[in-house]
Amino acid sequence: MLAVVALVPALLLWAVWQWADGRAAAADDAVPEEVVGAAPPPTPQPALSTGLLSYRRGAGELSRDLNTNAFRAAVAPLLSRVNDRSCAAVSLDGVPIGDVNVGQVVIPASNMKVLVAAVALEVLGTEFRYTTRVVGPAPVGGVISGDVYLVGGGDPLLSGEWYPDSGLDRFPTFNITSADELAGQLAAAGVTQIQGTVRGDGSRYDDEFYVASWGGGVAGIESGPYDALLVNDSRVLGDDQRGADPNESAAREFVRLLAEQGITVSGGAGTGVAPNGAPELASIESQPLSAVIEEMLTTSDNNTAELMVKEIGLEATGSATRQAGLDAIAATVAGWGVDTTGMVLGDGSGLSLDNRLTCATMLGVLQHVGSEGPVGAGLSIAGETGTLTGIFGDTPLAGRLRGKTGTLNNFPIDEDPPAVKALSGFLPVAGGGAIEYTLILNGPTISDQSEYRPVWDELATALASFPAVAGPAELGPR
C-alpha cells in the first residue's frame, strides 16, 4: 500500500513532464514571424540547483522554525533565575517562547502605565486632545472687569516654557502644552488689565489629589497633588516646592505669565468654579493623546498616568474618578480576551501597594497593542531615552529594545509588600515583527542593583540572541 501511495506523485510528475515536452516540441516546429529590430534574447542565467521539493523552497518558514527553537534554548537560563515570587514571559509575534510563574500574582510597579496607555487609546482615541480654557467677562478697552477662570481640561502637560529645562525632575517633561501661549492669546486680544482675581478651576475631576494606598514618602514627591487643572506639576517659577492645591498653584503661575505679557491682575490668584456660560477668552489644546502617552511612558510620569485614569473614567462612565477609570481599564483589558486572573488595580501610576497582576496579563496587553502602535513607540529606548537612558547601552540591545521600567522599594525589608523591579516591552526584529517580553521581579531587596541587574543582564543576553541561526537569504534556493 505504501509503495502505491509513493508511486502516485511520481506518475503525476511524469505526466506533467510528457505534456510540457509535447508543448515545447510543438512550439519548436512553428515558424516564427520575422520581427524587425527585435532585441536579442536575454543571456541565459544558470539554473538553480535546488530541487523542486527541497526544504530550501520554504526558507522563510524554515528559518523562523530554526531560530525559534534556538531562541527557546537561549531564554531558558533567564527563566531559571526568576524567584518564586516573580514571573517572566517571552513571546515572538504572539507565539510563546518561554515563561515561568506566568500565573503568579505580582506587584507591577510602573508597568501599570502600559495598561493605562493601552486602554486610553481604546477609550479616548489616538487623536484625543485635552483642552484648557480661560473664561470670564469680555474685555472693554483692554480691561476685564471681574474674575477670570483658568479652567482645566485634565491636561497633565500644561507647562510654562521654562519648566522642561528647570532641572526639577529627573526626567524632564516633553511634548508640553504651552501655558505661555495661552497667556499670550489674551495679550494678542488687547487685554491689559484684569480687575479681579484669576481663579483656578479643576472641577472637571473629583478633588482626590493623592492615592491613599501609596507608601510613605510618595505623596507630593513622586506624584501629586494633581487635579483637572495642573500646571508645571503644581509648581510656580521661583518656588521649588509643589503647591498644596494644584488649582491655586496653576492660577499663581498664570498670573505670573500674564505679567510677562504686560497684563496686570489686581486681585491676584485664587480658586473657584467658573460660572456656566461664561464667555471664552482663550483656549489651547494639548498634543494628540499618542504624544501624551509617549511622555508618560518614556519619563514614567506619575501625574500624567493618574490624570489619564480619571479621563478614562469620565469618558467611559461619566464619572471622573480614579475608581471609575480603573474599573473601565479592567473591563477593557478583559474584553480583549486577556487573562486578568488575580488582577487588582489601585492606581494608574503603579505607586499603589494594592496593584496586582500576572505576567500573563502583561504579556497579553503587549501582544494586543503590538510593537508598532503608540504604546510600543512611546516606550523608553535602551541606552538612549527616558528611564532606559543608562541601561543596556553597551549591549546589542542599545537603540533597539523598547521597555517600561518599574521600581518600588521596600522598607522595612523584612515585611511585605516586597520591593519591585520590572521591565516589559518589545524588541523589534529584522524583517518585521517583534519579541514581546515581561519580567516582573518581586522580593524583599530585589530593587537593589546587586540582585536585579544579573537577571536583567540574563534577559538582555536572551533577547539579543535572536536570530541565532541562518536567515531566509542563507537558507533560500541557490
Side-chain angles (χ1 to χ4, degrees):
M1 181 64 181
L2 291 176
V4 173
V5 172
L7 183 60
V8 171
L11 289 173
L12 288 173
L13 288 174
W14 179 83
V16 170
W17 175 80
Q18 287 291 326
W19 175 81
D21 188 55
R23 296 272 294 188
D28 289 342
D29 291 341
V31 179
E33 296 181 4
E34 183 178 356
V35 180
V36 179
T43 302
Q45 298 297 314
L48 295 174
S49 61
T50 301
L52 179 64
L53 301 181
S54 170
Y55 67 85
R56 288 184 175 274
R57 297 291 179 182
E61 186 173 345
L62 175 67
S63 171
R64 178 55 67 100
D65 287 345
L66 292 174
N67 281 305
T68 298
N69 290 335
F71 191 27
R72 287 194 174 98
V75 167
L78 162 69
L79 304 180
S80 69
R81 299 198 66 145
V82 175
N83 68 47
D84 59 4
R85 300 193 67 175
S86 306
C87 62
V90 179
S91 61
L92 175 61
D93 295 332
V95 177
I97 295 298
D99 60 67
V100 61
N101 304 336
V102 72
Q104 173 71 34
V105 177
V106 294
I107 302 175
S110 282
N111 274 207
M112 268 298 305
K113 296 183 178 77
V114 173
L115 274 67
V116 174
V119 173
L121 289 165
E122 172 113 344
V123 173
L124 304 176
T126 305
E127 295 303 315
F128 169 85
R129 296 171 187 259
Y130 298 94
T131 302
T132 305
R133 301 182 302 126
V134 180
V135 303
V140 177
V143 178
I144 296 175
S145 299
D147 292 347
V148 169
Y149 295 82
L150 180 61
V151 182
D155 190 345
L157 301 182
L158 185 62
S159 307
E161 293 181 3
W162 63 272
Y163 186 51
D165 298 323
S166 66
L168 293 173
D169 296 299
R170 181 183 176 193
F171 301 106
T173 188
F174 61 94
N175 291 342
I176 69 167
T177 308
S178 174
D180 297 65
E181 183 179 332
L182 189 61
Q185 289 182 29
L186 291 178
V191 176
T192 58
Q193 297 181 52
I194 297 175
Q195 294 180 346
T197 299
V198 171
R199 299 190 179 278
D201 178 359
S203 59
R204 180 179 180 86
Y205 299 161
D206 69 354
D207 287 328
E208 181 191 63
F209 294 171
Y210 304 100
V211 177
S213 57
W214 287 348
V218 171
I221 299 175
E222 298 291 339
S223 186
Y226 49 75
D227 204 354
L229 177 62
L230 183 68
V231 179
N232 307 328
D233 292 314
S234 198
R235 293 187 174 102
V236 178
L237 181 62
D239 186 353
D240 291 348
Q241 301 299 314
R242 301 175 194 260
D245 183 338
N247 300 294
E248 190 273 339
S249 296
R252 280 195 292 128
E253 175 70 352
F254 198 59
V255 168
R256 188 191 68 78
L257 292 172
L258 290 172
E260 288 187 348
Q261 297 288 337
I263 301 173
T264 60
V265 179
S266 63
T271 62
V273 178
N276 290 331
E280 183 176 290
L281 306 175
S283 68
I284 192 167
E285 289 186 338
S286 70
Q287 294 189 44
L289 183 64
S290 55
V292 179
I293 281 173
E294 179 187 12
E295 191 276 343
M296 177 181 73
L297 295 176
T298 298
T299 68
S300 200
D301 191 323
N302 296 314
N303 285 339
T304 297
E306 298 301 346
L307 291 184
M308 199 171 290
V309 167
K310 293 190 178 186
E311 191 65 32
I312 290 170
L314 180 60
E315 178 65 25
T317 72
S319 177
T321 67
R322 173 173 54 90
Q323 193 58 55
L326 295 177
D327 289 345
I329 290 171
T332 302
V333 172
W336 292 338
V338 173
D339 181 357
T340 58
T341 303
M343 187 170 76
V344 177
L345 305 182
D347 69 2
S349 62
L351 294 171
S352 172
L353 300 177
D354 290 343
N355 290 315
R356 298 289 188 278
L357 51 72
T358 66
C359 277
T361 298
M362 183 59 66
L363 192 68
V365 171
L366 292 171
Q367 291 170 345
H368 177 81
V369 298
S371 63
E372 297 183 356
V375 174
L379 296 169
S380 296
I381 303 172
E384 294 186 1
T385 63
T387 59
L388 285 179
T389 298
I391 308 297
F392 302 140
D394 57 350
T395 75
L397 300 183
R400 299 174 55 218
L401 178 135
R402 291 180 173 271
K404 179 70 202 76
T405 58
T407 304
L408 285 176
N409 294 317
N410 175 44
F411 300 103
I413 62 174
D414 58 347
E415 295 181 11
D416 277 345
V420 182
K421 199 68 184 182
L423 182 62
S424 301
F426 303 97
L427 178 64
V429 298
I435 297 166
E436 304 97 359
Y437 69 90
T438 180
L439 175 64
I440 305 178
L441 302 175
N442 284 193
T445 55
I446 199 67
S447 58
D448 188 287
Q449 279 210 35
S450 64
E451 285 201 37
Y452 79 82
R453 278 310 295 264
V455 187
W456 278 29
D457 291 343
E458 198 71 67
L459 172 68
T461 299
L463 297 184
S465 72
F466 186 87
V469 294
E474 292 80 12
L475 293 174
R478 61 188 180 186

